[in-house]
Amino acid sequence: MFVEHPLRVALHNEIHARPFGGVESPVRCTCLAFHAGEDLDGEVRAHFRGFCERYTLTPPADDQKYFEASCDGFTVIWERHAEFTVYVFKRQAAFDQPFDDPVINLIPRDWLESTPGQLLVGLHIAMDQRDRSVDDIARLFDYNGLTGSRVLGRGALIWTDFRLHGDGFGRILIRDNGLKRLQAGRLIQRLQEIEVYRMMALLAFPLAHAATPKVSEIDARLSAITAEMASKTHTNDEETLQKLTDLAAQTEEMAASLNYRFGAARAYYRILQARLVELREDRIEGMQTLNEFMERRLAPAMRTCQNIGDRLEVLSKRVARANNLLRTRVDILLEAQNRDLLASMDRRVKLQLRLQQTVEGLSVAAITYYAVGLLGYLFKALKGAGIPVNDAVASGASVPVVLAIIWFSMHRIKKALHRDDGQG
């Protein structure tokens, strides 16, 4: 038998991790998305287990990220993501007014109010096959400007205004022109994902907006420091290095706090664009499509986030280059100082050598003087002993001999020292 990879089954099933069951018109859904990161994962799962206990459902496993089950008169879908949790409640039943008495009214209020995280998306979606007038559709959206299109090969029409209404929820209306059951389910899933990923992507925009003045300030300070470095009157390199170090720390701190959010925004935006493509929109005369609306409203926000991220990256590189330039200049100055110091030391060594040579000459004379003095005492002793020696003449005659011997001896000693130093 084959040795199976331990993740084979999990990876194979990942592609089916978040299916959305088929639906038939008429149907109404309420989608809730709560911003709840991984630190709240335990609370999120415990809270949903409480829901399952109320309706005698088998709760999802600890590693499960998707759950769907039928309850009393409605179906619940639970999705757990890294940063957020999605709850979808759907009910298939006839209705007169799409957004009156939404399915969320069937959910226990106390359970909803204790949901972990912060509510980010609240959306009502209604789908039926009724042919409504333009004025009727406008009234359902409080006469706000509408965005809409024909989707899925004209199999359905959708309308929305991307606004929060009096109940705090957004609205999407779908007219089913003969969608198959699974097509209708996928359409509702894509529409609720578009809204969720739109909001998740936009979480980065306030951060980018708040960071813009700080980035401009760092840019201006760096330009001033660079100009100061280029100035010929600049002398305090230590102070400039401290300024650059502070700028580098501030830039890296901002980048660390923003990079994750900006990276997540780019990922969410790409998913959103993919979902829009999957709708295969055709224009309704006189109305923006969802894709056009997103390009006009969401794309500039994403470009702002991208711009701030790029500016931070460029600033980081500029600070590093300025730091390297300053350190290079400091190294060059130190090398020049070391060169001057070595030249000064060389001059001192030469002066020491000359002084040493002078001292050596005096030393030879002094030693000769003392040696001849000692010989004088010897000659006087010999004369006193009866040996016929003229002590004065003998002392005078010994001077050149003693001088030659001492000079030769010292010369031999110096040569031996030089030879030993060369070998060392």
PDB file of all heavy atoms in Angstrom, residues 21-28 90-95 127-129 176 179-185 188:
ATOM      1  N   GLY A  21     -25.431  25.570   0.201  1.00  0.00           N
ATOM      2  CA  GLY A  21     -26.468  24.716  -0.362  1.00  0.00           C
ATOM      3  C   GLY A  21     -27.377  25.448  -1.345  1.00  0.00           C
ATOM      4  O   GLY A  21     -27.502  26.673  -1.317  1.00  0.00           O
ATOM      5  N   GLY A  22     -27.990  24.686  -2.222  1.00  0.00           N
ATOM      6  CA  GLY A  22     -28.887  25.272  -3.190  1.00  0.00           C
ATOM      7  C   GLY A  22     -30.135  25.843  -2.527  1.00  0.00           C
ATOM      8  O   GLY A  22     -30.560  25.397  -1.453  1.00  0.00           O
ATOM      9  N   VAL A  23     -30.733  26.855  -3.162  1.00  0.00           N
ATOM     10  CA  VAL A  23     -31.964  27.470  -2.671  1.00  0.00           C
ATOM     11  C   VAL A  23     -32.923  27.655  -3.841  1.00  0.00           C
ATOM     12  O   VAL A  23     -32.513  27.645  -5.010  1.00  0.00           O
ATOM     13  CB  VAL A  23     -31.691  28.833  -2.001  1.00  0.00           C
ATOM     14  CG1 VAL A  23     -30.836  28.675  -0.759  1.00  0.00           C
ATOM     15  CG2 VAL A  23     -31.030  29.800  -2.975  1.00  0.00           C
ATOM     16  N   GLU A  24     -34.175  27.827  -3.511  1.00  0.00           N
ATOM     17  CA  GLU A  24     -35.196  28.091  -4.521  1.00  0.00           C
ATOM     18  C   GLU A  24     -35.992  29.321  -4.124  1.00  0.00           C
ATOM     19  O   GLU A  24     -36.199  29.586  -2.935  1.00  0.00           O
ATOM     20  CB  GLU A  24     -36.139  26.886  -4.652  1.00  0.00           C
ATOM     21  CG  GLU A  24     -35.472  25.631  -5.207  1.00  0.00           C
ATOM     22  CD  GLU A  24     -36.437  24.451  -5.276  1.00  0.00           C
ATOM     23  OE1 GLU A  24     -37.570  24.585  -4.730  1.00  0.00           O
ATOM     24  OE2 GLU A  24     -36.066  23.421  -5.844  1.00  0.00           O
ATOM     25  N   SER A  25     -36.422  30.081  -5.128  1.00  0.00           N
ATOM     26  CA  SER A  25     -37.244  31.261  -4.857  1.00  0.00           C
ATOM     27  C   SER A  25     -38.625  30.820  -4.396  1.00  0.00           C
ATOM     28  O   SER A  25     -39.146  29.784  -4.855  1.00  0.00           O
ATOM     29  CB  SER A  25     -37.376  32.092  -6.135  1.00  0.00           C
ATOM     30  OG  SER A  25     -36.097  32.497  -6.588  1.00  0.00           O
ATOM     31  N   PRO A  26     -39.212  31.590  -3.484  1.00  0.00           N
ATOM     32  CA  PRO A  26     -38.688  32.792  -2.829  1.00  0.00           C
ATOM     33  C   PRO A  26     -37.855  32.431  -1.596  1.00  0.00           C
ATOM     34  O   PRO A  26     -38.149  31.446  -0.904  1.00  0.00           O
ATOM     35  CB  PRO A  26     -39.955  33.542  -2.447  1.00  0.00           C
ATOM     36  CG  PRO A  26     -40.965  32.455  -2.210  1.00  0.00           C
ATOM     37  CD  PRO A  26     -40.649  31.359  -3.177  1.00  0.00           C
ATOM     38  N   VAL A  27     -36.829  33.215  -1.338  1.00  0.00           N
ATOM     39  CA  VAL A  27     -35.954  32.960  -0.201  1.00  0.00           C
ATOM     40  C   VAL A  27     -35.438  34.297   0.326  1.00  0.00           C
ATOM     41  O   VAL A  27     -35.212  35.233  -0.444  1.00  0.00           O
ATOM     42  CB  VAL A  27     -34.781  32.031  -0.599  1.00  0.00           C
ATOM     43  CG1 VAL A  27     -33.911  32.660  -1.669  1.00  0.00           C
ATOM     44  CG2 VAL A  27     -33.939  31.662   0.621  1.00  0.00           C
ATOM     45  N   ARG A  28     -35.268  34.364   1.624  1.00  0.00           N
ATOM     46  CA  ARG A  28     -34.668  35.551   2.258  1.00  0.00           C
ATOM     47  C   ARG A  28     -33.532  35.106   3.179  1.00  0.00           C
ATOM     48  O   ARG A  28     -33.639  34.074   3.842  1.00  0.00           O
ATOM     49  CB  ARG A  28     -35.716  36.335   3.040  1.00  0.00           C
ATOM     50  CG  ARG A  28     -36.666  37.102   2.154  1.00  0.00           C
ATOM     51  CD  ARG A  28     -37.618  37.965   2.953  1.00  0.00           C
ATOM     52  NE  ARG A  28     -38.613  37.158   3.673  1.00  0.00           N
ATOM     53  CZ  ARG A  28     -39.569  37.681   4.444  1.00  0.00           C
ATOM     54  NH1 ARG A  28     -39.642  39.002   4.603  1.00  0.00           N
ATOM     55  NH2 ARG A  28     -40.442  36.901   5.046  1.00  0.00           N
ATOM     56  N   LYS A  90     -31.122  31.690   6.608  1.00  0.00           N
ATOM     57  CA  LYS A  90     -31.956  31.765   5.401  1.00  0.00           C
ATOM     58  C   LYS A  90     -33.281  31.026   5.615  1.00  0.00           C
ATOM     59  O   LYS A  90     -33.340  30.007   6.323  1.00  0.00           O
ATOM     60  CB  LYS A  90     -31.208  31.214   4.188  1.00  0.00           C
ATOM     61  CG  LYS A  90     -30.747  29.771   4.305  1.00  0.00           C
ATOM     62  CD  LYS A  90     -29.976  29.349   3.066  1.00  0.00           C
ATOM     63  CE  LYS A  90     -29.503  27.903   3.176  1.00  0.00           C
ATOM     64  NZ  LYS A  90     -28.785  27.447   1.974  1.00  0.00           N
ATOM     65  N   ARG A  91     -34.311  31.580   4.986  1.00  0.00           N
ATOM     66  CA  ARG A  91     -35.648  31.002   5.125  1.00  0.00           C
ATOM     67  C   ARG A  91     -36.331  30.997   3.756  1.00  0.00           C
ATOM     68  O   ARG A  91     -36.405  32.040   3.090  1.00  0.00           O
ATOM     69  CB  ARG A  91     -36.477  31.820   6.115  1.00  0.00           C
ATOM     70  CG  ARG A  91     -37.927  31.342   6.257  1.00  0.00           C
ATOM     71  CD  ARG A  91     -38.660  32.077   7.346  1.00  0.00           C
ATOM     72  NE  ARG A  91     -38.660  33.516   7.140  1.00  0.00           N
ATOM     73  CZ  ARG A  91     -39.234  34.378   7.969  1.00  0.00           C
ATOM     74  NH1 ARG A  91     -39.811  33.945   9.072  1.00  0.00           N
ATOM     75  NH2 ARG A  91     -39.205  35.670   7.715  1.00  0.00           N
ATOM     76  N   GLN A  92     -36.781  29.823   3.338  1.00  0.00           N
ATOM     77  CA  GLN A  92     -37.494  29.692   2.066  1.00  0.00           C
ATOM     78  C   GLN A  92     -38.993  29.702   2.342  1.00  0.00           C
ATOM     79  O   GLN A  92     -39.556  28.722   2.830  1.00  0.00           O
ATOM     80  CB  GLN A  92     -37.070  28.407   1.341  1.00  0.00           C
ATOM     81  CG  GLN A  92     -35.622  28.426   0.891  1.00  0.00           C
ATOM     82  CD  GLN A  92     -35.271  27.292  -0.056  1.00  0.00           C
ATOM     83  OE1 GLN A  92     -34.125  26.996  -0.272  1.00  0.00           O
ATOM     84  NE2 GLN A  92     -36.281  26.648  -0.635  1.00  0.00           N
ATOM     85  N   ALA A  93     -39.627  30.839   2.033  1.00  0.00           N
ATOM     86  CA  ALA A  93     -41.069  30.995   2.248  1.00  0.00           C
ATOM     87  C   ALA A  93     -41.528  32.207   1.449  1.00  0.00           C
ATOM     88  O   ALA A  93     -40.752  33.135   1.206  1.00  0.00           O
ATOM     89  CB  ALA A  93     -41.383  31.182   3.732  1.00  0.00           C
ATOM     90  N   ALA A  94     -42.769  32.194   1.041  1.00  0.00           N
ATOM     91  CA  ALA A  94     -43.309  33.310   0.266  1.00  0.00           C
ATOM     92  C   ALA A  94     -43.365  34.581   1.119  1.00  0.00           C
ATOM     93  O   ALA A  94     -43.502  34.513   2.350  1.00  0.00           O
ATOM     94  CB  ALA A  94     -44.695  32.957  -0.247  1.00  0.00           C
ATOM     95  N   PHE A  95     -43.227  35.730   0.463  1.00  0.00           N
ATOM     96  CA  PHE A  95     -43.284  37.008   1.167  1.00  0.00           C
ATOM     97  C   PHE A  95     -43.844  38.073   0.222  1.00  0.00           C
ATOM     98  O   PHE A  95     -43.731  37.967  -0.997  1.00  0.00           O
ATOM     99  CB  PHE A  95     -41.900  37.413   1.679  1.00  0.00           C
ATOM    100  CG  PHE A  95     -40.829  37.437   0.618  1.00  0.00           C
ATOM    101  CD1 PHE A  95     -40.637  38.548  -0.205  1.00  0.00           C
ATOM    102  CD2 PHE A  95     -39.995  36.342   0.431  1.00  0.00           C
ATOM    103  CE1 PHE A  95     -39.649  38.566  -1.165  1.00  0.00           C
ATOM    104  CE2 PHE A  95     -38.991  36.359  -0.546  1.00  0.00           C
ATOM    105  CZ  PHE A  95     -38.817  37.462  -1.348  1.00  0.00           C
ATOM    106  N   MET A 127     -34.758  37.108  -2.533  1.00  0.00           N
ATOM    107  CA  MET A 127     -34.836  36.659  -3.919  1.00  0.00           C
ATOM    108  C   MET A 127     -36.208  36.048  -4.185  1.00  0.00           C
ATOM    109  O   MET A 127     -36.670  35.187  -3.422  1.00  0.00           O
ATOM    110  CB  MET A 127     -33.743  35.628  -4.223  1.00  0.00           C
ATOM    111  CG  MET A 127     -33.764  35.126  -5.662  1.00  0.00           C
ATOM    112  SD  MET A 127     -32.333  34.093  -6.085  1.00  0.00           S
ATOM    113  CE  MET A 127     -32.686  32.640  -5.108  1.00  0.00           C
ATOM    114  N   ASP A 128     -36.862  36.514  -5.236  1.00  0.00           N
ATOM    115  CA  ASP A 128     -38.093  35.887  -5.702  1.00  0.00           C
ATOM    116  C   ASP A 128     -38.198  36.101  -7.209  1.00  0.00           C
ATOM    117  O   ASP A 128     -37.284  36.639  -7.834  1.00  0.00           O
ATOM    118  CB  ASP A 128     -39.315  36.440  -4.962  1.00  0.00           C
ATOM    119  CG  ASP A 128     -39.532  37.930  -5.191  1.00  0.00           C
ATOM    120  OD1 ASP A 128     -38.822  38.511  -6.047  1.00  0.00           O
ATOM    121  OD2 ASP A 128     -40.410  38.514  -4.527  1.00  0.00           O
ATOM    122  N   GLN A 129     -39.298  35.695  -7.787  1.00  0.00           N
ATOM    123  CA  GLN A 129     -39.482  35.781  -9.238  1.00  0.00           C
ATOM    124  C   GLN A 129     -40.488  36.868  -9.621  1.00  0.00           C
ATOM    125  O   GLN A 129     -40.944  36.919 -10.761  1.00  0.00           O
ATOM    126  CB  GLN A 129     -39.943  34.423  -9.787  1.00  0.00           C
ATOM    127  CG  GLN A 129     -38.903  33.333  -9.599  1.00  0.00           C
ATOM    128  CD  GLN A 129     -39.343  31.988 -10.148  1.00  0.00           C
ATOM    129  OE1 GLN A 129     -40.541  31.713 -10.284  1.00  0.00           O
ATOM    130  NE2 GLN A 129     -38.376  31.127 -10.467  1.00  0.00           N
ATOM    131  N   ASP A 176     -35.239  36.360  -9.661  1.00  0.00           N
ATOM    132  CA  ASP A 176     -34.850  35.070 -10.240  1.00  0.00           C
ATOM    133  C   ASP A 176     -35.566  34.881 -11.578  1.00  0.00           C
ATOM    134  O   ASP A 176     -36.795  34.833 -11.638  1.00  0.00           O
ATOM    135  CB  ASP A 176     -35.228  33.960  -9.252  1.00  0.00           C
ATOM    136  CG  ASP A 176     -34.859  32.567  -9.771  1.00  0.00           C
ATOM    137  OD1 ASP A 176     -34.242  32.476 -10.843  1.00  0.00           O
ATOM    138  OD2 ASP A 176     -35.207  31.594  -9.089  1.00  0.00           O
ATOM    139  N   LEU A 179     -33.140  30.632 -12.406  1.00  0.00           N
ATOM    140  CA  LEU A 179     -31.887  30.024 -11.944  1.00  0.00           C
ATOM    141  C   LEU A 179     -32.144  28.617 -11.426  1.00  0.00           C
ATOM    142  O   LEU A 179     -33.189  28.327 -10.832  1.00  0.00           O
ATOM    143  CB  LEU A 179     -31.269  30.865 -10.822  1.00  0.00           C
ATOM    144  CG  LEU A 179     -30.751  32.249 -11.182  1.00  0.00           C
ATOM    145  CD1 LEU A 179     -30.310  32.976  -9.910  1.00  0.00           C
ATOM    146  CD2 LEU A 179     -29.596  32.176 -12.175  1.00  0.00           C
ATOM    147  N   LYS A 180     -31.159  27.762 -11.642  1.00  0.00           N
ATOM    148  CA  LYS A 180     -31.228  26.445 -11.031  1.00  0.00           C
ATOM    149  C   LYS A 180     -30.919  26.562  -9.540  1.00  0.00           C
ATOM    150  O   LYS A 180     -30.370  27.562  -9.080  1.00  0.00           O
ATOM    151  CB  LYS A 180     -30.235  25.497 -11.705  1.00  0.00           C
ATOM    152  CG  LYS A 180     -30.574  25.218 -13.168  1.00  0.00           C
ATOM    153  CD  LYS A 180     -29.562  24.282 -13.791  1.00  0.00           C
ATOM    154  CE  LYS A 180     -29.904  24.016 -15.262  1.00  0.00           C
ATOM    155  NZ  LYS A 180     -28.941  23.111 -15.918  1.00  0.00           N
ATOM    156  N   ARG A 181     -31.257  25.527  -8.816  1.00  0.00           N
ATOM    157  CA  ARG A 181     -31.150  25.557  -7.359  1.00  0.00           C
ATOM    158  C   ARG A 181     -29.721  25.898  -6.892  1.00  0.00           C
ATOM    159  O   ARG A 181     -29.530  26.791  -6.063  1.00  0.00           O
ATOM    160  CB  ARG A 181     -31.588  24.203  -6.799  1.00  0.00           C
ATOM    161  CG  ARG A 181     -31.530  24.093  -5.290  1.00  0.00           C
ATOM    162  CD  ARG A 181     -32.001  22.727  -4.831  1.00  0.00           C
ATOM    163  NE  ARG A 181     -31.819  22.566  -3.406  1.00  0.00           N
ATOM    164  CZ  ARG A 181     -32.657  23.013  -2.484  1.00  0.00           C
ATOM    165  NH1 ARG A 181     -33.732  23.660  -2.846  1.00  0.00           N
ATOM    166  NH2 ARG A 181     -32.416  22.813  -1.201  1.00  0.00           N
ATOM    167  N   LEU A 182     -28.727  25.201  -7.427  1.00  0.00           N
ATOM    168  CA  LEU A 182     -27.340  25.456  -7.015  1.00  0.00           C
ATOM    169  C   LEU A 182     -26.851  26.809  -7.511  1.00  0.00           C
ATOM    170  O   LEU A 182     -26.057  27.478  -6.843  1.00  0.00           O
ATOM    171  CB  LEU A 182     -26.427  24.340  -7.525  1.00  0.00           C
ATOM    172  CG  LEU A 182     -26.599  22.976  -6.839  1.00  0.00           C
ATOM    173  CD1 LEU A 182     -25.659  21.948  -7.460  1.00  0.00           C
ATOM    174  CD2 LEU A 182     -26.329  23.080  -5.337  1.00  0.00           C
ATOM    175  N   GLN A 183     -27.306  27.241  -8.706  1.00  0.00           N
ATOM    176  CA  GLN A 183     -26.947  28.565  -9.200  1.00  0.00           C
ATOM    177  C   GLN A 183     -27.433  29.646  -8.249  1.00  0.00           C
ATOM    178  O   GLN A 183     -26.697  30.583  -7.928  1.00  0.00           O
ATOM    179  CB  GLN A 183     -27.563  28.800 -10.584  1.00  0.00           C
ATOM    180  CG  GLN A 183     -26.771  28.243 -11.750  1.00  0.00           C
ATOM    181  CD  GLN A 183     -27.411  28.639 -13.068  1.00  0.00           C
ATOM    182  OE1 GLN A 183     -28.612  28.436 -13.279  1.00  0.00           O
ATOM    183  NE2 GLN A 183     -26.616  29.200 -13.951  1.00  0.00           N
ATOM    184  N   ALA A 184     -28.665  29.521  -7.806  1.00  0.00           N
ATOM    185  CA  ALA A 184     -29.228  30.510  -6.883  1.00  0.00           C
ATOM    186  C   ALA A 184     -28.446  30.532  -5.570  1.00  0.00           C
ATOM    187  O   ALA A 184     -28.153  31.607  -5.015  1.00  0.00           O
ATOM    188  CB  ALA A 184     -30.694  30.201  -6.625  1.00  0.00           C
ATOM    189  N   GLY A 185     -28.074  29.363  -5.065  1.00  0.00           N
ATOM    190  CA  GLY A 185     -27.296  29.305  -3.832  1.00  0.00           C
ATOM    191  C   GLY A 185     -25.937  29.961  -3.981  1.00  0.00           C
ATOM    192  O   GLY A 185     -25.492  30.723  -3.113  1.00  0.00           O
ATOM    193  N   ILE A 188     -26.257  33.878  -4.111  1.00  0.00           N
ATOM    194  CA  ILE A 188     -26.413  34.497  -2.789  1.00  0.00           C
ATOM    195  C   ILE A 188     -25.092  34.472  -2.026  1.00  0.00           C
ATOM    196  O   ILE A 188     -24.706  35.444  -1.368  1.00  0.00           O
ATOM    197  CB  ILE A 188     -27.528  33.780  -2.006  1.00  0.00           C
ATOM    198  CG1 ILE A 188     -28.885  34.069  -2.658  1.00  0.00           C
ATOM    199  CG2 ILE A 188     -27.535  34.214  -0.543  1.00  0.00           C
ATOM    200  CD1 ILE A 188     -30.041  33.327  -2.025  1.00  0.00           C
TER     201      ILE A 188
END
